[in-house]
Amino acid sequence: MTLTPKTHLSIRMATQTDLPIIKQLIKSAKQIMRDNGNTKQWADGYPTDDIILSDINTKTCFLVMDSNSPVGSFTLKSGPDPTYARIYDGAWKNSLPYYVIHRITSKPNAHGVFSALLRYSLSVCSNLRIDTYRDNTIMQHLLLQHGFEYCGIIYIANGDDRWAYQLTVNE
């Protein structure tokens, strides 16, 4: 059965006072990952308060709201992203300017969070890139379901590999 995504979800920019809310959303997202066999992603305190506050201060951190209640969060940054400079075992779809989606969270029973953040992100830029951990089957499914294409493997700063995806509309 396919659930219709909630169309009343809205997006708002996060503020410093949202830090405790975002930390709780991260905790929920980690639990969802662990419950689904993704035991290594976002380990060792990642993302740190400093990373979250940097996202907030650069106005790239957003909350997904269901009425007045936060049900998810994400970061949307303009490229180029240094970790996307080289891709292995594949290629990016194009070399046009792009935005990157990072650090997606949601509450366990929230539905439509990814659809809402994607609609918002596409209103900012029609060329999006994202990466995910190889064990994050939930995210991989969401990406393919929403039209992202697998492009190859990138390596993050600590040397870990990530599966890279891209969505370009009106190409």
Side-chain angles (χ1 to χ4, degrees), residues 7 13 15 22 31 34-35 51 57 60 76 85 104 113 117 121 130 145 149 151 162:
T7 56
M13 193 172 293
T15 66
I22 295 168
Q31 190 59 54
R34 303 305 178 259
D35 290 348
I51 290 171
N57 291 335
T60 60
L76 180 65
I104 298 171
V113 170
L117 74 84
S121 299
I130 191 170
Q145 180 182 39
E149 293 179 40
C151 294
R162 295 289 184 269

Side-chain angles (χ1 to χ4, degrees), residues 134-146:
R134 67 176 57 246
D135 291 340
N136 195 338
T137 56
I138 293 173
M139 183 57 62
Q140 293 164 26
H141 173 77
L142 284 168
L143 292 170
L144 295 174
Q145 180 182 39
H146 286 85

Side-chain angles (χ1 to χ4, degrees), residues 34-87:
R34 303 305 178 259
D35 290 348
N36 286 279
N38 183 1
T39 60
K40 296 179 183 174
Q41 188 175 1
W42 289 10
D44 303 322
Y46 180 88
T48 64
D49 288 4
D50 288 344
I51 290 171
I52 300 163
L53 286 170
S54 175
D55 291 343
I56 290 170
N57 291 335
T58 57
K59 300 186 183 324
T60 60
C61 185
F62 300 87
L63 288 175
V64 181
M65 306 294 292
D66 185 352
S67 299
N68 291 323
S69 178
V71 294
S73 65
F74 66 102
T75 300
L76 180 65
K77 295 185 175 198
S78 64
D81 184 314
T83 59
Y84 290 5
R86 296 193 64 187
I87 188 166

